[in-house]
Amino acid sequence: MLRVENVQRAYGRFMALSDANLTVEKGKIVAVIGPNGAGKSTLFKLITGHVRPDGGQILFKGQDLIGLSPHEICRRGISLAFQIVNIFSRMTVFENVQAAVLAHQGRSWSLLRPARTLAVAETMEILESVGLASKAHRVSGTLSHGDQKVLEMAIALSTEPELLILDEPTAGMSPEETEVSIELVKRLSAERGLTILFCEHDIELVFSISDEIMVLRAGETIVQGLPEAVRTNAAVQEAYLGGGA
Ligand code: ADP
Ligand code: MG
């Protein structure tokens, strides 16, 4: 479904990514791991068109994504939930998702017509699927951090993606919230057949839910493979255990 080949990106003279490689097959849960600053968020933003690569190829369903706008890439079926929560905190949970659904449908809010009645069923369906339906009318800024991250995920789902990218979906969550979110990710993958690409600090958690893992170190892909192969890979062991990172 997605193929990233030899992708590079510099910020000034600093090479944030020097050789990123990644393959994501349809229906799989794929994780990217690597130390802070390895380039994980940059890689995700390159895939979604928020950052332009300096070189390499990014193919989605056989088509080149490089040069397309984030909006065009979203239309083709890729959605990103950012590492830093990006919601309208004064709007309700319902309004946040509804706004995203309407934007995706190419409709916008009208100041003259109450927006309340638009896309209600679609919005509630998404809130139900992520477990936020009972909090639909809460003001988003008053939600717990964990619920705000889930709302960010709901917003990403409102564009009906085939590939959902989650940048540290459990960052800052309590262990209980983390467990709920991980169950949610697994359920979205199983029930909707969603393909999921994510990165996450908790390595044990990554190994427990991923079909495949790609290891990024200092902007370079060391390896991608099945969890067991990655766990026993000598270069990965060195990067994580030998202080090579
Ligand atoms: P990760 O998500 O793996 O922690 P990032 O992709 O956020 O890594 O960052 C990779 C490197 O690129 C870091 O050293 C970071 O400081 C640098 N970087 C990221 N974004 C920018 C930017 N907009 N300008 C300059 N440097 C950046
Ligand atoms: Mg990051």
Side-chain angles (χ1 to χ4, degrees):
M1 178 177 258
L2 178 75
R3 185 181 290 275
V4 173
E5 275 175 5
N6 187 223
V7 159
Q8 294 138 32
R9 166 72 200 203
Y11 291 110
R13 286 193 192 158
F14 175 72
M15 287 291 270
L17 288 176
S18 55
D19 186 9
N21 296 278
L22 175 70
T23 306
V24 180
E25 283 172 42
K26 191 172 164 52
K28 302 277 187 202
I29 300 179
V30 178
V32 177
I33 61 172
N36 242 329
K40 303 177 296 293
S41 294
T42 301
L43 173 62
F44 291 171
K45 288 181 200 158
L46 287 170
I47 295 168
T48 55
H50 291 90
V51 170
R52 294 266 163 120
D54 298 321
Q57 263 203 323
I58 303 177
L59 299 174
F60 181 61
K61 297 195 285 187
Q63 289 185 310
D64 195 356
L65 293 186
I66 294 178
L68 298 182
S69 70
H71 179 71
E72 286 167 321
I73 292 173
C74 185
R75 289 243 155 240
R76 287 176 189 222
I78 303 180
S79 188
L80 169 68
F82 289 93
Q83 180 169 0
I84 294 161
V85 173
N86 193 22
I87 59 178
F88 295 108
S89 57
R90 291 190 191 183
M91 290 181 5
T92 66
V93 168
F94 180 88
E95 288 164 345
N96 263 285
V97 174
Q98 181 193 37
V101 170
L102 292 176
H104 177 61
Q105 292 177 349
R107 296 153 81 184
S108 62
W109 285 15
S110 163
L111 292 173
L112 303 173
R113 196 155 40 97
R116 218 161 282 169
T117 56
L118 297 175
V120 173
E122 294 95 319
T123 302
M124 285 312 294
E125 193 265 328
I126 293 168
L127 290 177
E128 263 151 34
S129 78
V130 301
L132 279 180
S134 66
K135 294 172 183 159
H137 299 295
R138 287 270 302 274
V139 172
S140 304
T142 68
L143 295 177
S144 69
H145 175 71
D147 280 344
Q148 291 189 9
K149 293 284 284 184
V150 173
L151 175 56
E152 171 86 43
M153 216 189 282
I155 292 169
L157 283 173
S158 66
T159 64
E160 303 175 278
E162 291 175 65
L163 172 62
L164 177 63
I165 305 181
L166 304 169
D167 195 341
E168 303 204 19
T170 72
M173 285 189 177
S174 68
E176 296 76 31
E177 288 174 330
T178 298
E179 201 170 310
V180 170
S181 300
I182 291 306
E183 284 311 312
L184 173 59
V185 169
K186 283 201 237 173
R187 195 155 50 73
L188 290 172
S189 160
E191 287 175 7
R192 299 190 174 217
L194 251 182
T195 307
I196 293 171
L197 173 63
F198 77 111
C199 71
E200 168 62 50
H201 269 110
D202 185 333
I203 297 298
E204 279 319 305
L205 191 155
V206 165
F207 276 95
S208 71
I209 74 161
S210 307
D211 294 308
E212 285 203 28
I213 299 170
M214 185 269 258
V215 185
L216 198 60
R217 182 181 54 171
E220 215 175 315
T221 295
I222 306 181
V223 68
Q224 176 176 349
L226 300 175
E228 261 329 286
V230 168
R231 198 191 283 278
T232 54
N233 180 283
V236 174
Q237 298 218 332
E238 194 201 325
Y240 274 96
L241 308 171

